[in-house]
């Protein structure tokens, strides 16, 4: 049995067709696209084509709205810092409690610099309160940054509607869409989204390449100044091979988007349904009705995520967890905390994220080992007794906390 | 994934003494808020000899928490309660061939469960005496609470002060921004402003005020502690030699396999920790090669 990779929200394997498209740009077409000689003449064309391929996938109006960056994080930082630099009188930022650290850490930093950060809370299944959002919009707000899809639960936020609301209030709107692009259809030209971040390695392109979509006419200040690359909006010699690879990956993602929402979704659905049936005391987190098709995040009560992952890994299965221990941080995942998932469940969350490379046979393999893994760890758990949790687990076991 | 030793993996995949001991007469229940981990340790103690006849654990926690619990039960079985209480968290970590710095608190949890169980047996109430915070310095495993307490207690003002008093920031230096953040916060609380260019506190002078021990007593005590640590170092083919003590700084030579070992800095950190615990005061352990020139000439 080959290793089973179910951690595609962390990163994906590069599609062989993408590798093939990239190779010439390391060898024959290695020139600097700004040069005027035979080693470079294909490079500019390759980049142009890639820009077009990205444009097709996200449905934006102009290919000049695509700015290639080095990663999703750079795109996020560029968007937020641009908005506050371009509008120095606006000192507030609206975001959510469940964003990726690429947004949250930057906001925390800006807070120290004197900005007011509105972090919108979510309910128990990870949904926002749009009335509360509306009341925060004002001419003091420099930018709203809300993720399209949550990396842990796959929960989708109504960013199209929220962008309309921001637009009506005259506020810029950015979305971190690194988990959404390529998994759900989008047509940016029909929306009021001003900026969007995407990351290549989440959709079978290599690591180290990202995009910031910047709606034409949106006021902008570059993060990196220097050469004229990307029309002066992101200086630095183009990562041409990666750009070409991302272009190809976008073309493939567009061709597979129906597959993603049918075949991949069916694998995800079968896995989570069966796990919940087979294993007592576990539940799916997030907004189950409104999620990415490839993601499921399951909380196994009274056992801990890292221990589950180590046993899964031994069985050749790769997934990830929201437990504190897998990150080295103090707290279990901020997303689980934001949804008010109890500690005894939040520490035992496991995310399985699929791609078009997975198969139903792999789902069967996971289903074969997962019940035993949960049962064996529960045998060690002070909250568990025989076939079920001890009566009143939170009262029966009350350790002295350090 | 963490770089766990073979031993950790062995104890995780095949834990020893899992489950509660039947007719236990000593139970310790502790948790580490930093990992959300929790451990119940059950012991059967022979009331005549105070020997631990059997030990079992139930752990809600990660791989290293389970491994630490498992190895703890193995270490303490057959020991008397007094012997068992001498087991340190470092002993637990050593028995596992080390733990990643972020995971050292798993071994602390094991030691605390043991203390709690013994207190339970003796009818005493056990109280935890330390609080854990976010890990700031990954080189020396120093957390935010520890740094904050030291900054408050000793009126520290600069990153260098913090390094002198806690070692935090003395390694790769990547955490200096976080340490500055803590300084900024604590200084603001007492109405001061953090100044990156402030002069560091004279370590020896400030330490002198609260030291009832004479220098000779201190040197003797340090030698005693080093003698206790020696067997462990020698088991790894190394040794340690005390060269000089100036104020609260002990200059040592790591010899044998310890000299030039990649782990020398970690080992020195461990020695320092142990010295501070046993002497009850701040001691800084520094390789003799870093001794000030004048002192070296005199030594």
């Amino acid at each position: 049995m080959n290793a089973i990779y179910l951690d595609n929200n962390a990163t994906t394997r590069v599609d062989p067709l993408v590798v093939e498209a990239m190779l010439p740009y390391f060898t024959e077409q290695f020139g600097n696209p700004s040069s005027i000689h035979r080693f470079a003449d294909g490079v500019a064309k390759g980049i142009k084509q890639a820009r077009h391929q990205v444009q097709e996938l996200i449905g934006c109006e102009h290919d000049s709205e695509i700015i290639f960056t080095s990663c999703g994080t750079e795109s996020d930082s560029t968007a937020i810092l641009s908005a506050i630099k371009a509008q120095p009188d606006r000192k507030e930022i609206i975001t959510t409690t469940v964003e990726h650290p690429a947004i949250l850490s930057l906001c925390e930093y800006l807070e120290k610099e004197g900005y007011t950060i509105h972090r919108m809370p979510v309910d128990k299944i990870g949904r926002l309160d749009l009335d509360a959002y509306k009341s925060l919009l004002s001419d003091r707000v420099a930018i709203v940054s809300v993720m399209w899809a949550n990396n842990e639960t796959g929960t989708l936020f109504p960013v199209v509607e929220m962008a309309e609301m921001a637009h009506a209030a005259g506020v810029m709107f950015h979305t971190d869409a690194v988990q959404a692009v390529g998994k759900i259809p989008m047509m940016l030209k029909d929306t009021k989204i001003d900026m969007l971040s995407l990351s290549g390695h989440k959709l079978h392109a290599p690591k180290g390449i990202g995009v910031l979509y910047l709606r034409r006419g949106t006021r902008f200040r570059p993060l990196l100044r220097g050469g004229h690359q990307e029309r002066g909006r992101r200086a630095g010699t183009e990562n041409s091979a990666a750009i070409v690879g991302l272009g190809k990956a976008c073309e493939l993602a567009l061709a597979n988007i129906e597959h993603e929402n049918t075949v991949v979704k069916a694998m995800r659905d079968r896995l989570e349904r069966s796990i919940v049936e087979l294993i007592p005391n576990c539940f799916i987190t997030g907004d189950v009705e409104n999620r990415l098709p490839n993601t499921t995040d399951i909380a196994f009560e009274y056992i801990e995520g890292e221990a589950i992952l180590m046993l899964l890994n031994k069985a050749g299965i790769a997934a990830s967890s929201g437990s504190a221990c897998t990150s080295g941080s103090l707290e279990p995942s901020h997303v689980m905390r934001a949804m008010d998932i109890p500690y005894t469940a939040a520490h035992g969350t496991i995310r399985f994220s699929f791609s078009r490379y997975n198969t139903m046979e792999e789902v069967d393999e996971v289903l074969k080992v997962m019940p035993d893994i949960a049962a064996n760890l529960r045998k060690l758990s002070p909250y568990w007794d025989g076939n079920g949790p001890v009566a009143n687990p939170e009262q029966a076991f009350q350790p002295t906390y350090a | 994934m963490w770089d766990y030793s073979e031993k950790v993996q062995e104890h995780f995949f095949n834990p020893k003494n899992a489950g509660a001991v039947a007719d236990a007469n000593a139970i310790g229940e502790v948790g580490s808020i930093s990992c959300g981990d929790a451990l119940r340790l059950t012991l059967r103690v022979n009331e005549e000899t105070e020997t631990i006849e059997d030990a079992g654990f139930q752990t809600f926690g990660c791989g290293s928490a389970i491994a630490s619990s498992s190895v703890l039960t193995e270490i303490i079985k057959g020991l008397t309660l007094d012997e068992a209480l001498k087991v340190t968290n470092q002993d637990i970590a050593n028995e596992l061939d080390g733990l990643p710095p972020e995971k050292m608190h798993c071994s602390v949890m094991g030691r605390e469960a043991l203390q709690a169980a013994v207190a339970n047996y003796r009818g005493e109430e056990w109280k935890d005496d330390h609080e854990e915070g976010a890990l700031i310095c990954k080189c020396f495993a120093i957390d935010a609470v520890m740094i904050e307490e030291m900054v408050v207690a000793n009126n520290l003002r600069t990153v260098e002060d913090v390094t002198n008093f806690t070692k935090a920031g003395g390694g790769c230096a990547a955490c200096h921004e976080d340490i500055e953040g803590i300084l900024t916060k604590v200084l603001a609380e007492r109405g001061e402003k953090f100044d990156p260019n402030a002069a560091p506190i004279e370590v020896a002078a400030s330490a002198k005020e609260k030291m009832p021990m004479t220098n000779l007593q201190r040197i003797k005590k340090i030698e005693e502690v080093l003698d206790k640590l020696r067997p462990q170092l020698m088991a790894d083919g190394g040794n340690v030699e005390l060269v000089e003590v100036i104020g609260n700084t002990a200059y040592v030579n790591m010899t044998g396999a310890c000299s030039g070992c990649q782990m020398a800095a970690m080992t020195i950190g461990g020695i320092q920790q142990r010295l501070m615990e046993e002497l009850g005061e701040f001691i800084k352990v520094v390789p003799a090669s870093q001794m000030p020139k004048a002192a070296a000439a005199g030594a």
Side-chain angles (χ1 to χ4, degrees):
Chain A
M1 186 73 207
N2 285 329
I4 297 172
Y5 187 74
L6 291 172
D7 200 11
N8 287 281
N9 285 14
T11 193
T12 58
R13 68 178 278 195
V14 179
D15 191 295
L17 292 172
V18 170
V19 175
E20 193 185 70
M22 290 172 69
L23 286 177
Y25 292 85
F26 291 107
T27 50
E28 299 108 51
Q29 288 296 318
F30 65 85
N32 189 320
S34 303
S35 305
I36 303 182
H37 48 58
R38 71 177 70 175
F39 301 98
D41 58 2
V43 185
K45 275 185 214 136
I47 292 176
K48 188 174 175 2
Q49 192 197 355
R51 211 180 291 281
H52 182 69
Q53 287 161 319
V54 178
Q55 181 193 1
E56 289 286 303
L57 179 62
I58 63 175
C60 61
E61 196 160 2
H62 312 281
D63 68 355
S64 59
E65 294 172 325
I66 308 289
I67 301 173
F68 290 112
T69 65
S70 67
C71 59
T73 299
E74 185 195 325
S75 302
D76 288 342
S77 270
T78 305
I80 291 183
L81 294 172
S82 164
I84 62 173
K85 282 271 182 336
Q87 310 166 97
D89 295 335
R90 296 182 174 228
K91 298 287 188 194
E92 296 180 17
I93 296 170
I94 299 176
T95 185
T96 79
T97 50
V98 296
E99 295 299 304
H100 189 271
I103 297 293
L104 288 180
S105 297
L106 177 62
C107 285
E108 215 170 284
Y109 172 72
L110 292 172
E111 198 166 37
K112 285 185 199 152
E113 302 275 293
Y115 284 85
T116 301
I117 313 293
H118 302 287
R119 299 174 181 87
M120 292 185 285
V122 295
D123 65 10
K124 290 189 183 225
I125 61 168
R127 293 174 305 192
L128 294 168
D129 175 351
L130 292 193
D131 289 332
Y133 167 59
K134 195 171 181 188
S135 68
L136 290 172
L137 290 166
S138 77
D139 58 9
R140 296 184 302 277
V141 177
I143 189 165
V144 177
S145 180
V146 170
M147 67 200 327
W148 198 314
N150 187 273
N151 47 308
E152 289 187 33
T153 63
T155 300
L156 300 170
F157 280 147
V159 289
V160 173
E161 187 183 347
M162 293 176 80
E164 298 274 355
M165 291 164 73
H167 182 78
V171 178
M172 262 187 214
F173 189 92
H174 165 255
T175 179
D176 177 345
V178 299
Q179 295 293 349
V181 172
K183 292 176 195 154
I184 52 170
M186 53 185 68
M187 191 58 70
L188 288 185
K189 64 182 167 206
D190 296 339
T191 74
K192 299 285 189 229
I193 293 169
D194 296 302
M195 291 188 266
L196 171 145
S197 304
L198 72 88
S199 172
H201 75 100
K202 306 287 192 196
L203 57 142
H204 305 288
K207 294 153 188 70
I209 186 70
V211 161
L212 176 66
Y213 156 78
L214 177 69
R215 173 182 299 281
R216 184 173 283 185
T218 305
R219 295 181 63 216
F220 184 73
R221 298 290 179 271
L223 181 68
L224 301 183
R225 291 174 190 273
H228 55 86
Q229 296 88 356
E230 302 301 291
R231 298 168 192 257
R233 296 170 301 178
R234 200 282 187 182
T237 300
E238 297 88 341
N239 185 357
S240 39
I243 289 172
V244 168
L246 175 59
K248 185 70 191 176
C250 286
E251 181 194 313
L252 294 170
L254 189 58
N256 279 291
I257 210 141
E258 203 191 315
H259 180 88
E260 191 82 26
N261 287 278
T262 52
V263 181
V264 174
K265 181 172 183 292
M267 290 189 272
R268 188 275 312 267
D269 289 347
R270 179 167 139 68
L271 178 76
E272 68 178 15
R273 215 172 33 240
S274 306
I275 284 183
V276 173
E277 269 171 30
L278 289 168
I279 301 175
N281 295 84
C282 67
F283 59 90
I284 301 161
T285 73
D287 188 356
V288 179
E289 300 303 314
N290 192 23
R291 266 185 312 166
L292 289 175
N294 80 318
T295 309
T296 182
D297 188 73
I298 303 174
F300 296 91
E301 291 182 282
Y302 312 118
I303 49 180
E304 198 275 341
E306 186 201 281
I308 301 171
L309 289 184
M310 285 174 72
L311 292 170
L312 279 172
N313 188 45
K314 204 179 175 206
I317 298 160
S320 71
S321 165
S323 101
C325 284
T326 51
S327 63
S329 71
L330 281 180
E331 293 271 329
S333 135
H334 66 286
V335 179
M336 297 303 138
R337 300 281 298 130
M339 294 191 295
D340 207 19
I341 307 271
Y343 268 99
T344 43
H347 279 287
T349 51
I350 298 292
R351 178 188 68 190
F352 298 100
S353 47
F354 289 79
S355 80
R356 57 178 184 260
Y357 292 111
N358 292 116
T359 63
M360 233 9 142
E361 287 69 46
E362 293 179 332
V363 173
D364 292 336
E365 282 303 311
V366 178
L367 291 174
K368 262 186 225 162
V369 301
M370 198 56 225
D372 282 344
I373 290 177
N376 287 336
L377 285 173
R378 280 173 174 165
K379 273 187 211 150
L380 304 180
S381 172
Y383 296 105
W384 198 261
D385 186 24
N387 295 317
V390 294
N392 294 325
E394 318 280 332
Q395 279 79 45
F397 181 59
Q398 288 185 298
T400 310
Y401 275 99
Chain B
M1 189 63 83
W2 304 103
D3 188 13
Y4 283 139
S5 71
E6 297 276 326
K7 273 273 186 63
V8 173
Q9 299 194 32
E10 205 179 293
H11 276 278
F12 170 71
F13 288 121
N14 298 300
K16 307 280 197 313
N17 312 310
V21 169
D23 44 274
N25 53 1
I27 299 176
E29 296 182 344
V30 298
S32 157
I33 201 77
S34 65
C35 224
D37 287 359
L39 160 61
R40 175 193 284 137
L41 181 69
T42 49
L43 309 176
R44 192 172 59 244
V45 181
N46 182 316
E47 294 183 5
E48 308 260 298
T49 60
E50 288 220 324
T51 308
I52 299 171
E53 294 181 337
D54 201 2
F57 77 89
Q58 291 161 284
T59 296
F60 168 74
C62 58
S64 55
I66 289 172
S68 295
S69 310
S70 164
V71 82
L72 169 71
T73 56
E74 287 286 279
I75 294 174
I76 60 173
K77 271 207 281 185
L79 299 185
T80 65
L81 293 184
D82 286 331
E83 286 167 342
L85 282 176
K86 289 189 190 131
V87 174
T88 65
N89 76 298
Q90 195 64 47
D91 293 335
I92 296 170
N94 288 347
E95 195 62 29
L96 289 168
D97 291 340
L99 285 169
E102 290 88 342
K103 297 289 191 168
M104 280 304 283
H105 65 90
C106 292
S107 62
V108 174
M109 189 170 78
R111 180 185 139 105
E112 289 174 346
L114 177 61
Q115 291 171 332
V118 174
N120 170 261
Y121 174 80
R122 291 178 171 165
E124 299 159 0
E125 198 188 338
W126 179 77
K127 273 210 186 68
D128 183 54
D129 57 356
H130 83 288
E131 196 189 337
E132 265 178 28
L135 189 68
I136 300 289
C137 170
K138 294 198 174 171
C139 296
F140 299 114
I142 313 286
D143 67 36
V145 172
M146 161 92 158
I147 296 174
E148 209 171 311
E149 280 171 1
M150 288 300 247
V151 170
V152 171
N154 299 290
N155 273 319
L156 307 185
R157 286 196 170 73
T158 67
V159 174
E160 202 180 331
D161 288 341
V162 172
T163 305
N164 286 338
F165 276 75
T166 68
K167 275 188 91 77
C172 73
C175 62
H176 284 195
E177 183 184 351
D178 296 332
I179 296 177
E180 284 192 12
I182 293 174
L183 284 164
T184 306
K185 189 183 120 206
V186 176
L187 288 175
E189 279 164 12
R190 57 172 189 243
E192 291 175 45
K193 202 165 179 287
F194 170 66
D195 171 12
N197 300 314
I201 295 174
E202 285 290 328
V203 175
S206 75
K208 217 176 278 168
E209 294 162 18
K210 46 183 173 104
M211 269 184 203
M213 233 185 287
T214 69
N215 216 31
L216 186 65
Q217 286 171 324
R218 184 174 305 115
I219 292 172
K220 279 190 176 158
K221 189 86 189 155
I222 291 174
E223 281 285 15
E224 258 172 51
V225 177
L226 290 183
D227 281 342
K228 275 195 247 172
L229 289 172
R230 221 159 247 134
Q232 230 177 67
L233 294 169
M234 285 163 82
D236 291 335
N239 209 335
V240 60
E241 174 197 2
L242 183 65
V243 177
E244 173 67 298
V245 179
I246 303 172
N248 61 350
T249 305
Y251 294 94
V252 300
N253 264 333
M254 303 302 291
T255 55
C258 290
S259 86
C261 164
Q262 293 279 333
M263 296 298 288
M266 293 291 281
T267 309
I268 286 186
I271 294 174
Q272 168 166 311
Q273 187 64 35
R274 189 68 179 268
L275 283 173
M276 287 201 281
E277 278 171 19
E278 301 236 354
L279 273 71
E281 62 179 29
F282 178 76
I283 294 286
K284 187 175 166 191
V285 180
V286 176
S289 57
Q290 292 171 24
M291 192 155 44
K293 284 249 163 56

